Amino acid sequence: MAMSGTQHRESNSSGGSSIDKHLDSGKYVRYTAEQVEALERVYMECPKPSSLRRQQLIRDCPILSNIEPKQIKVWFQNRRCREKQRKEASRLHTVNRKLSAMNKLLMEENNRLQKQVSLLVCENGYMRQQLRIPSARAADASCDSAVTTPQHYMRDANTPAGFLSIAEETLTEFLSKATGTAVDWVQMPGMKPGPESVGIFAISQGCIGVAARACGLVSLEPTKVAEILKDRLSWFRECRSLEVFTTVPAGNGGTIELVYTQTYAPTTLAPARDFWTLRYTTTLENGSLVVCERSLSGSGAGPDAAAAAQFVRAEVLSSGYLIRPCEGGGSIIHIVDHLNLQPWSVPEVLQPLYESSKVVAQKMTIAALRYIRQIAQETSGEVVYGLGRQPAVLRTFSQRLSRGFNHAVNGFNDDGWSVVNCDGAEDIIISVNSTKNLSGTSNLATPLTSLGGILCAKASMLLQNVPPAALIRFLREHRSEWADFNIDAYSAASLKSGSYTYPGTRPTSFTGNQIIMPLGHTIEHEEMLEVVRLEGHSLAQEDAFVSRDIHLLQICSGIDENSVGPCSELIFAPIDEMFPDDAPLVPSGFRIIPLDSKPGDKKDATTGNRTLDLTSGLEVGLATSHAAGDASSCYTNRSVLTIAFQFPFDSSLQDNVAGMALQYVRSVISSVQRVAMAISPSGIDPAVSAKLSPGSPEALTLAQWICQSYSYHLGTELLRSDTLVGDLVLKHFWHHQDAILCCSLKSQPMFIFANQAGLDMMETTLVALQDITLDKIFDESGRKALFSDFAKIMQQGFAYLPGGICMSTMGRHVSYEQAIAWKVLAEQDNNVHCLAFSFINWTFV
């Protein structure tokens, strides 16, 4: 006998109509086709079992009147079970298809690894043989392995035949990287393959340039995937422009294109990159679609030679996309990005960004695969967004915010930007765009067309031991700690009505409340799009009941410590409360890029210009728990913070707005310094009495020794007052206008302490200061003057050194009118503890 709840359909012998029967209390209940149809209609209209509407529909249907309510209830239960079973079967079928495709990818990867192991075994045997034959060793030393160092030939091509020859060579090289062993691939840390993962990711090891590879399954057809990937502007956030100059038919159904691409620089410290490439699109014999690309020789200056002069020409080694149709629909994608980003052209502190295959994977390879999966989910209706907006509209908002921020950070001349001021003391760059040629706007009818222009204040700085995710998270959640509500109100009002009322003339109070309304997020929540409402009210009595709320459109990314994104960002722009699709956007915000440290790198070496060190502004004090041998740990967690704020202005108020912008960004930097100090896990303690390092006197005690020794040797007060006691001594010493530094008296004198001006002059931190030797900061004449007066210092106790030039840790020259050196005596035993130097009237040159 069938179990209760089992059901099936069969033909009715009397009329041939369908019946539905199930077992209820040991009895089969038979339904006619008309009754089944009526029950289906009721179920489809009201699937919820407790719905009053369902009961009403049953009562209003005469054909169901002769069926007991209990029997109808059982039928609905069975119907709901059938639906759940169908959904589960469909889900299992989808998972099974994904697992089959993933298994195919893993088998291919396993075959490739087996080939790679075989090659490595052969190479190992060859090397052993060469070691046994010393005479052959020199002859073979210059031979490079074709596997680990693939040769890349750059040559000119001026004919279709030459183009086709390069295209076929590029195709062969690309396929050998995508599915072969031309590059030694290793699994990218933290990216494990699986049915729910985006794909399989690998990075290069020991090859020319930097390379990354990805394999994944998406539910889009190959032609659609190729169309998306070729439109690099849509998914690669750093892509500024992509222009196809020439299209040549390949004769085999494919096309050859000459492409000029410009990319943004992620910070203000390095020039942007451009590429001049040949792109080949073709279909293989097995039906796979291939888009491969590589650089061409020659300058390929692009549409404007003057504009191209702002870029460093980088190189694309054979790269591209292999897209294979998948059984049951969808595509299997292989992506290879292989670049030479010319790291020599950037400051040393930023070179890890341009020498890291992991960074290329995060910015390009993973981003491409994630974007395709995002489009696939949006197409299938799996993604639900807020405020009733279409996914494409919200995605465009995110792209415009990111693009507008990059636009401000780079400030290209051909976009109308010009630098009007560079604050040498704080390295804040003020630039102006009077052409209204802004990437953040898309509608020429917007109020931006009536603006006098946009002014941008920007700066980049080095962070040490400050987690990027934690800092961005704090800036997002505690806006009132760093932002000025009146500045936000000014920007919002300028965009809304073309009004340029200077901040302060219509005072507004911020209530401290901010409401974050989510709009959407990417598939792995690595980026969020939000609307932020800042609640405010007017302080003027006549406007007391007028709402002064401000709305910001905001993207936030990288706030999860486990995120594999390339950076952490908080970018926002004022927007009208009606939230129109074509709203003008003038973005501002923060970007923090982690720097991969080099093993054994124990110097804070950088030759870049316009670089601030946030932690150089921290108050005196280091944690007592850090041993001197752990000082190098400050180099293992470095990152670069870029700040850019944009302000609309009228031409008659440019100077006023420039002054306001400079003052505001200074205030933001100061606030971020305090936040960085608070959240840094490095042990930096804001307490004034914290020790400098184990074995050193406390900061207060050392400041007292320095001041007392200065007075003893020179007969005058360093702090211009002898009545200061306790913490006031350290406070006045810390804020003294002259740069004061102390160094040990070892065989190789090392700096151990400095005041704020000293850290600013050296462009370093208290932690990093202790790795700097005395002789490194002086030029040749300065070292000679110091050595000639050293005996005088030790005998007399002090010496006046002539003015000269010294060098900061950032490689910048610092001039000073005069320097004073004196011995610092320990109060207890009157022994010499260290040497102190005071640099008077110093400035960067």
Side-chain angles (χ1 to χ4, degrees):
M1 179 181 292
M3 296 298 294
S4 176
T6 303
Q7 53 196 356
H8 65 273
R9 292 187 177 183
E10 60 184 23
S11 297
N12 191 326
S13 57
S14 58
S17 59
S18 298
I19 66 164
D20 190 68
K21 65 180 182 180
H22 66 269
L23 190 64
D24 182 22
S25 303
K27 298 179 181 179
Y28 279 104
V29 178
R30 301 173 66 89
Y31 299 102
T32 65
E34 291 78 9
Q35 290 175 331
V36 171
E37 184 178 352
L39 289 170
E40 284 285 351
R41 284 198 305 269
V42 173
Y43 181 82
M44 296 302 296
E45 186 169 345
C46 300
K48 293 183 180 180
S50 59
S51 171
L52 296 176
R53 173 65 175 164
R54 174 189 286 185
Q55 298 175 13
Q56 182 64 37
L57 289 173
I58 294 174
R59 285 195 296 267
D60 293 344
C61 186
I63 200 172
L64 301 178
S65 59
N66 60 343
I67 305 177
E68 295 181 6
K70 183 178 180 181
Q71 295 172 352
I72 295 177
K73 180 178 179 181
V74 172
W75 188 94
F76 280 125
Q77 290 175 347
N78 293 334
R79 176 64 177 79
R80 191 163 56 250
C81 289
R82 289 199 302 271
E83 185 175 4
K84 288 181 179 179
Q85 288 171 355
R86 280 198 300 268
K87 289 181 178 179
E88 182 65 13
S90 176
R91 189 188 68 83
L92 291 176
H93 177 72
T94 302
V95 171
N96 184 62
R97 185 169 60 84
K98 288 183 178 180
L99 287 173
S100 298
M102 189 63 67
N103 182 60
K104 184 177 180 181
L105 280 176
L106 291 174
M107 290 175 63
E108 293 175 353
E109 182 72 5
N110 183 58
N111 292 334
R112 188 193 63 81
L113 291 174
Q114 288 179 353
K115 294 178 183 177
Q116 186 171 331
V117 169
S118 300
L119 285 172
L120 291 175
V121 169
C122 293
E123 285 187 348
N124 185 47
Y126 175 75
M127 292 302 296
R128 287 176 179 274
Q129 183 180 4
Q130 295 305 306
L131 290 173
R132 296 192 188 99
I133 310 174
S135 60
R137 190 180 308 165
D140 294 332
S142 62
C143 296
D144 293 326
S145 170
V147 176
T148 57
T149 56
Q151 296 297 316
H152 180 71
Y153 299 99
M154 304 285 289
R155 63 190 181 198
D156 291 315
N158 299 312
T159 64
F163 289 149
L164 184 58
S165 174
I166 296 176
E168 293 294 344
E169 181 181 335
T170 303
L171 175 62
T172 302
E173 292 179 1
F174 161 67
L175 292 177
S176 67
K177 296 174 184 179
T179 60
T181 57
V183 173
D184 185 10
W185 300 110
V186 296
Q187 182 176 313
M188 184 172 173
M191 303 295 289
K192 296 181 179 180
E196 300 303 323
S197 66
V198 177
I200 303 172
F201 302 98
I203 55 178
S204 63
Q205 179 176 269
C207 73
I208 296 174
V210 288
R213 188 181 68 128
C215 308
L217 171 69
V218 295
S219 56
L220 294 175
E221 295 305 312
T223 52
K224 180 64 175 177
V225 173
E227 177 186 344
I228 294 172
L229 291 173
K230 291 175 73 172
D231 183 17
R232 196 168 286 142
L233 280 167
S234 66
W235 57 266
F236 183 28
R237 292 290 175 85
E238 287 189 7
C239 184
R240 182 197 183 209
S241 64
L242 188 149
E243 184 173 355
V244 178
F245 272 72
T246 305
T247 301
V248 179
N252 55 357
T255 57
I256 298 174
E257 301 164 303
L258 300 186
V259 182
Y260 178 63
T261 306
Q262 293 179 345
T263 61
Y264 291 108
T267 75
T268 63
L269 304 176
R273 266 56 183 159
D274 67 348
F275 303 88
W276 178 239
T277 59
L278 179 147
R279 186 168 68 186
Y280 181 37
T281 305
T282 187
T283 302
L284 302 182
E285 293 181 357
N286 61 3
S288 299
L289 186 59
V290 175
V291 181
C292 56
E293 187 173 11
R294 91 175 205 191
S295 286
L296 293 172
S297 61
S299 59
D304 186 351
Q310 301 179 74
F311 296 83
V312 171
R313 178 58 49 82
E315 181 184 0
V316 177
L317 291 85
S318 298
S319 306
Y321 318 109
L322 170 62
I323 311 165
R324 297 185 297 177
C326 184
E327 295 180 6
S331 306
I332 296 176
I333 311 173
H334 295 258
I335 302 176
V336 172
D337 292 305
H338 195 173
L339 307 172
N340 181 359
L341 296 173
Q342 311 298 341
W344 56 266
S345 62
V346 302
E348 184 179 347
V349 72
L350 293 182
Q351 286 182 5
L353 294 179
Y354 295 81
E355 297 173 338
S356 170
S357 295
K358 180 180 177 182
V359 172
V360 171
Q362 293 169 334
K363 286 185 177 181
M364 298 182 66
T365 319
I366 298 176
L369 199 52
R370 280 179 168 169
Y371 183 80
I372 295 172
R373 290 198 62 182
Q374 182 83 21
I375 297 297
Q377 290 194 4
E378 291 175 0
T379 304
S380 64
E382 298 178 36
V383 181
V384 179
Y385 287 103
L387 299 185
R389 299 285 172 166
Q390 292 296 321
V393 174
L394 299 180
R395 193 168 59 248
T396 301
F397 273 127
S398 298
Q399 292 167 349
R400 288 175 57 199
L401 283 172
S402 180
R403 186 175 179 83
F405 184 75
N406 283 327
H407 185 82
V409 168
N410 286 260
F412 293 115
N413 295 337
D414 59 329
D415 284 333
W417 289 99
S418 59
V419 177
V420 296
N421 178 47
C422 182
D423 188 343
E426 295 178 334
D427 298 322
I428 299 174
I429 302 171
I430 304 294
S431 56
V432 171
N433 188 332
S434 301
T435 66
K436 281 91 66 179
N437 181 20
L438 299 178
S439 298
T441 63
S442 59
N443 184 1
L444 296 179
T446 63
L448 276 182
T449 56
S450 63
L451 296 181
I454 300 293
L455 184 142
C456 177
K458 55 190 176 183
S460 291
M461 55 210 71
L462 183 67
L463 294 173
Q464 303 209 61
N465 276 351
V466 178
L471 181 54
I472 290 296
R473 205 162 49 235
F474 185 93
L475 296 175
R476 171 180 175 263
E477 297 171 359
H478 304 278
R479 186 180 182 87
S480 60
E481 294 292 329
W482 57 269
D484 187 332
F485 182 80
N486 286 316
I487 299 295
D488 292 329
Y490 162 79
S491 298
S494 299
L495 293 175
K496 191 173 185 179
S497 59
S499 170
Y500 303 96
T501 304
Y502 192 72
T505 58
R506 298 187 68 182
T508 304
S509 173
F510 177 44
T511 65
N513 295 329
Q514 67 170 13
I515 300 174
I516 299 178
M517 297 172 283
L519 292 178
H521 54 77
T522 51
I523 55 176
E524 294 187 345
H525 295 260
E526 70 276 2
E527 180 179 283
M528 299 176 291
L529 179 66
E530 306 165 328
V531 170
V532 181
R533 180 159 64 91
L534 307 176
E535 296 181 348
H537 61 272
S538 175
L539 296 180
Q541 185 173 1
E542 61 274 14
D543 295 334
F545 298 101
V546 178
S547 172
R548 296 296 180 191
D549 292 353
I550 297 172
H551 294 80
L552 304 174
L553 186 65
Q554 175 175 284
I555 56 173
C556 183
S557 63
I559 60 173
D560 183 359
E561 282 79 0
N562 298 321
S563 173
V564 295
C567 61
S568 298
E569 289 181 327
L570 182 68
I571 302 173
F572 49 87
I575 192 169
D576 188 89
E577 61 269 17
M578 299 305 293
F579 196 42
D581 293 349
D582 59 352
L585 299 178
V586 182
S588 303
F590 309 85
R591 172 183 292 150
I592 308 178
I593 307 174
L595 298 174
D596 291 334
S597 59
K598 300 176 183 178
D601 183 10
K602 294 209 174 183
K603 59 179 181 178
D604 191 14
T606 170
T607 57
N609 294 324
R610 301 190 304 276
T611 307
L612 287 171
D613 189 331
L614 267 188
T615 52
S616 67
L618 301 183
E619 296 295 333
V620 182
L622 302 177
T624 59
S625 61
H626 278 239
D630 294 335
S632 62
S633 64
C634 63
Y635 301 100
T636 60
N637 295 307
R638 296 184 300 176
S639 54
V640 172
L641 168 64
T642 297
I643 298 176
F645 282 80
Q646 298 190 81
F647 306 89
F649 70 92
D650 183 79
S651 13
S652 61
L653 295 175
Q654 177 175 333
D655 292 340
N656 292 335
V657 175
M660 173 198 73
L662 185 61
Q663 181 179 1
Y664 182 56
V665 172
R666 285 175 182 167
S667 172
V668 171
I669 290 174
S670 178
S671 300
V672 175
Q673 286 177 345
R674 292 194 301 269
V675 175
M677 176 177 61
I679 67 177
S680 173
S682 63
I684 296 178
D685 190 346
V688 176
S689 61
K691 294 184 178 180
L692 297 174
S693 64
S696 297
E698 292 184 354
L700 174 59
T701 303
L702 181 54
Q704 291 173 339
W705 290 357
I706 293 170
C707 297
Q708 291 170 1
S709 300
Y710 184 94
S711 176
Y712 174 78
H713 292 302
L714 282 83
T716 182
E717 297 295 332
L718 176 64
L719 302 180
R720 311 300 183 203
S721 175
D722 58 355
T723 60
L724 298 175
V725 294
D727 292 344
L728 290 177
V729 174
L730 178 57
K731 181 178 179 181
H732 282 74
F733 172 83
W734 183 251
H735 296 290
H736 197 281
Q737 63 181 359
D738 295 336
I740 303 173
L741 299 98
C742 300
C743 70
S744 62
L745 284 173
K746 299 178 181 179
S747 57
Q748 189 176 20
M750 306 284 292
F751 287 108
I752 60 173
F753 187 49
N755 68 346
Q756 178 68 73
L759 295 176
D760 290 343
M761 185 185 78
M762 296 303 298
E763 292 186 294
T764 188
T765 67
L766 279 173
V767 178
L769 181 72
Q770 300 177 52
D771 285 330
I772 303 172
T773 57
L774 177 63
D775 62 327
K776 294 294 184 183
I777 71 167
F778 290 101
D779 60 5
E780 189 63 29
S781 60
R783 280 193 291 269
K784 289 181 179 178
L786 176 62
F787 293 153
S788 63
D789 289 336
F790 189 78
K792 182 179 179 181
I793 296 172
M794 298 309 295
Q795 181 179 1
Q796 181 178 304
F798 73 99
Y800 291 95
L801 305 178
I805 300 291
C806 63
M807 187 83 68
S808 78
T809 59
M810 299 299 181
R812 294 207 289 174
H813 291 90
V814 182
S815 67
Y816 56 93
E817 290 185 3
Q818 188 184 45
I820 305 174
W822 69 95
K823 294 189 296 186
V824 177
L825 306 176
E827 188 176 17
Q828 297 91 337
D829 49 17
N830 212 32
N831 291 329
V832 179
H833 179 268
C834 61
L835 284 182
F837 295 82
S838 177
F839 296 86
I840 301 171
N841 293 334
W842 63 273
T843 183
F844 291 106
V845 295

mmCIF file of all heavy atoms in Angstrom, residues 621-628 630 682-685 687 689-699:
data_model
loop_
_atom_site.group_PDB
_atom_site.id
_atom_site.type_symbol
_atom_site.label_atom_id
_atom_site.label_comp_id
_atom_site.label_asym_id
_atom_site.label_seq_id
_atom_site.Cartn_x
_atom_site.Cartn_y
_atom_site.Cartn_z
ATOM 1 N N GLY A 621 55.391 59.003 22.499
ATOM 2 C CA GLY A 621 55.184 57.796 23.270
ATOM 3 C C GLY A 621 55.092 56.552 22.456
ATOM 4 O O GLY A 621 54.435 56.514 21.457
ATOM 5 N N LEU A 622 55.749 55.493 22.897
ATOM 6 C CA LEU A 622 55.670 54.182 22.285
ATOM 7 C C LEU A 622 55.390 53.182 23.391
ATOM 8 O O LEU A 622 55.685 53.403 24.548
ATOM 9 C CB LEU A 622 56.989 53.837 21.579
ATOM 10 C CG LEU A 622 57.428 54.819 20.490
ATOM 11 C CD1 LEU A 622 58.777 54.377 19.964
ATOM 12 C CD2 LEU A 622 56.417 54.856 19.376
ATOM 13 N N ALA A 623 54.834 52.055 23.020
ATOM 14 C CA ALA A 623 54.470 51.055 24.012
ATOM 15 C C ALA A 623 55.707 50.435 24.622
ATOM 16 O O ALA A 623 56.703 50.199 23.973
ATOM 17 C CB ALA A 623 53.600 49.987 23.382
ATOM 18 N N THR A 624 55.641 50.160 25.873
ATOM 19 C CA THR A 624 56.771 49.555 26.561
ATOM 20 C C THR A 624 56.919 48.098 26.225
ATOM 21 O O THR A 624 57.954 47.496 26.472
ATOM 22 C CB THR A 624 56.571 49.697 28.080
ATOM 23 O OG1 THR A 624 55.344 49.039 28.425
ATOM 24 C CG2 THR A 624 56.493 51.149 28.491
ATOM 25 N N SER A 625 55.879 47.506 25.647
ATOM 26 C CA SER A 625 55.929 46.070 25.382
ATOM 27 C C SER A 625 56.703 45.724 24.134
ATOM 28 O O SER A 625 56.929 44.556 23.867
ATOM 29 C CB SER A 625 54.498 45.518 25.247
ATOM 30 O OG SER A 625 53.851 46.154 24.174
ATOM 31 N N HIS A 626 57.110 46.706 23.333
ATOM 32 C CA HIS A 626 57.813 46.426 22.092
ATOM 33 C C HIS A 626 59.309 46.450 22.340
ATOM 34 O O HIS A 626 59.862 47.445 22.802
ATOM 35 C CB HIS A 626 57.436 47.454 21.018
ATOM 36 C CG HIS A 626 56.159 47.127 20.342
ATOM 37 N ND1 HIS A 626 56.060 46.926 19.003
ATOM 38 C CD2 HIS A 626 54.908 46.930 20.825
ATOM 39 C CE1 HIS A 626 54.813 46.652 18.670
ATOM 40 N NE2 HIS A 626 54.113 46.658 19.787
ATOM 41 N N ALA A 627 59.951 45.370 22.028
ATOM 42 C CA ALA A 627 61.392 45.317 22.175
ATOM 43 C C ALA A 627 62.057 46.065 21.049
ATOM 44 O O ALA A 627 61.496 46.263 19.987
ATOM 45 C CB ALA A 627 61.863 43.856 22.186
ATOM 46 N N ALA A 628 63.307 46.449 21.280
ATOM 47 C CA ALA A 628 64.036 47.185 20.245
ATOM 48 C C ALA A 628 64.204 46.347 19.000
ATOM 49 O O ALA A 628 64.210 46.854 17.885
ATOM 50 C CB ALA A 628 65.397 47.622 20.782
ATOM 51 N N ASP A 630 62.116 44.553 17.684
ATOM 52 C CA ASP A 630 60.867 44.477 16.933
ATOM 53 C C ASP A 630 60.587 45.741 16.162
ATOM 54 O O ASP A 630 59.516 45.908 15.594
ATOM 55 C CB ASP A 630 59.686 44.207 17.886
ATOM 56 C CG ASP A 630 59.788 42.832 18.521
ATOM 57 O OD1 ASP A 630 60.443 41.975 17.900
ATOM 58 O OD2 ASP A 630 59.239 42.628 19.606
ATOM 59 N N SER A 682 49.923 48.845 16.756
ATOM 60 C CA SER A 682 51.376 48.783 16.879
ATOM 61 C C SER A 682 51.866 49.123 18.266
ATOM 62 O O SER A 682 53.042 48.996 18.560
ATOM 63 C CB SER A 682 52.022 49.741 15.878
ATOM 64 O OG SER A 682 51.641 51.073 16.168
ATOM 65 N N GLY A 683 50.948 49.606 19.097
ATOM 66 C CA GLY A 683 51.375 49.921 20.444
ATOM 67 C C GLY A 683 51.661 51.384 20.651
ATOM 68 O O GLY A 683 52.161 51.770 21.706
ATOM 69 N N ILE A 684 51.396 52.242 19.666
ATOM 70 C CA ILE A 684 51.622 53.656 19.856
ATOM 71 C C ILE A 684 50.613 54.169 20.865
ATOM 72 O O ILE A 684 49.424 54.024 20.705
ATOM 73 C CB ILE A 684 51.486 54.403 18.524
ATOM 74 C CG1 ILE A 684 52.581 53.928 17.581
ATOM 75 C CG2 ILE A 684 51.519 55.894 18.719
ATOM 76 C CD1 ILE A 684 52.519 54.571 16.226
ATOM 77 N N ASP A 685 51.109 54.777 21.913
ATOM 78 C CA ASP A 685 50.286 55.166 23.040
ATOM 79 C C ASP A 685 50.218 56.676 23.110
ATOM 80 O O ASP A 685 51.254 57.340 23.150
ATOM 81 C CB ASP A 685 50.918 54.607 24.327
ATOM 82 C CG ASP A 685 49.987 54.755 25.514
ATOM 83 O OD1 ASP A 685 49.008 55.508 25.402
ATOM 84 O OD2 ASP A 685 50.271 54.126 26.545
ATOM 85 N N ALA A 687 49.523 58.405 25.575
ATOM 86 C CA ALA A 687 49.913 58.874 26.897
ATOM 87 C C ALA A 687 51.278 59.540 26.834
ATOM 88 O O ALA A 687 52.223 59.020 26.272
ATOM 89 C CB ALA A 687 49.938 57.708 27.884
ATOM 90 N N SER A 689 53.446 59.986 29.111
ATOM 91 C CA SER A 689 54.492 59.412 29.946
ATOM 92 C C SER A 689 54.963 58.049 29.469
ATOM 93 O O SER A 689 55.737 57.405 30.149
ATOM 94 C CB SER A 689 53.981 59.273 31.379
ATOM 95 O OG SER A 689 52.864 58.409 31.408
ATOM 96 N N ALA A 690 54.504 57.590 28.288
ATOM 97 C CA ALA A 690 54.928 56.271 27.823
ATOM 98 C C ALA A 690 56.408 56.275 27.479
ATOM 99 O O ALA A 690 56.975 57.281 27.087
ATOM 100 C CB ALA A 690 54.111 55.871 26.603
ATOM 101 N N LYS A 691 57.072 55.119 27.580
ATOM 102 C CA LYS A 691 58.499 55.028 27.328
ATOM 103 C C LYS A 691 58.787 55.003 25.831
ATOM 104 O O LYS A 691 57.993 54.543 25.039
ATOM 105 C CB LYS A 691 59.064 53.774 27.982
ATOM 106 C CG LYS A 691 59.007 53.814 29.508
ATOM 107 C CD LYS A 691 59.664 52.588 30.107
ATOM 108 C CE LYS A 691 59.652 52.639 31.623
ATOM 109 N NZ LYS A 691 60.288 51.455 32.215
ATOM 110 N N LEU A 692 59.994 55.482 25.479
ATOM 111 C CA LEU A 692 60.404 55.468 24.079
ATOM 112 C C LEU A 692 60.731 54.064 23.636
ATOM 113 O O LEU A 692 60.369 53.634 22.559
ATOM 114 C CB LEU A 692 61.617 56.379 23.887
ATOM 115 C CG LEU A 692 61.359 57.861 24.188
ATOM 116 C CD1 LEU A 692 62.658 58.626 24.097
ATOM 117 C CD2 LEU A 692 60.347 58.413 23.228
ATOM 118 N N SER A 693 61.498 53.344 24.423
ATOM 119 C CA SER A 693 61.849 51.966 24.138
ATOM 120 C C SER A 693 62.429 51.385 25.414
ATOM 121 O O SER A 693 62.838 52.123 26.309
ATOM 122 C CB SER A 693 62.877 51.885 22.997
ATOM 123 O OG SER A 693 64.084 52.501 23.378
ATOM 124 N N PRO A 694 62.474 50.057 25.546
ATOM 125 C CA PRO A 694 63.051 49.466 26.745
ATOM 126 C C PRO A 694 64.479 49.948 26.965
ATOM 127 O O PRO A 694 65.298 49.956 26.061
ATOM 128 C CB PRO A 694 62.993 47.959 26.439
ATOM 129 C CG PRO A 694 61.882 47.825 25.466
ATOM 130 C CD PRO A 694 61.918 49.071 24.633
ATOM 131 N N GLY A 695 64.780 50.361 28.161
ATOM 132 C CA GLY A 695 66.115 50.836 28.485
ATOM 133 C C GLY A 695 66.275 52.335 28.325
ATOM 134 O O GLY A 695 67.278 52.902 28.757
ATOM 135 N N SER A 696 65.312 53.015 27.708
ATOM 136 C CA SER A 696 65.384 54.461 27.550
ATOM 137 C C SER A 696 64.617 55.139 28.674
ATOM 138 O O SER A 696 63.670 54.574 29.227
ATOM 139 C CB SER A 696 64.783 54.889 26.209
ATOM 140 O OG SER A 696 65.510 54.344 25.147
ATOM 141 N N PRO A 697 64.993 56.344 29.039
ATOM 142 C CA PRO A 697 64.211 57.064 30.048
ATOM 143 C C PRO A 697 62.856 57.421 29.493
ATOM 144 O O PRO A 697 62.640 57.421 28.288
ATOM 145 C CB PRO A 697 65.045 58.322 30.312
ATOM 146 C CG PRO A 697 65.823 58.520 29.055
ATOM 147 C CD PRO A 697 66.114 57.146 28.533
ATOM 148 N N GLU A 698 61.944 57.764 30.335
ATOM 149 C CA GLU A 698 60.632 58.160 29.863
ATOM 150 C C GLU A 698 60.730 59.457 29.089
ATOM 151 O O GLU A 698 61.675 60.240 29.252
ATOM 152 C CB GLU A 698 59.670 58.317 31.034
ATOM 153 C CG GLU A 698 59.343 57.000 31.724
ATOM 154 C CD GLU A 698 58.328 57.170 32.815
ATOM 155 O OE1 GLU A 698 57.976 58.331 33.110
ATOM 156 O OE2 GLU A 698 57.907 56.162 33.368
ATOM 157 N N ALA A 699 59.745 59.677 28.200
ATOM 158 C CA ALA A 699 59.781 60.853 27.339
ATOM 159 C C ALA A 699 59.863 62.136 28.152
ATOM 160 O O ALA A 699 60.620 63.054 27.814
ATOM 161 C CB ALA A 699 58.539 60.861 26.449
#
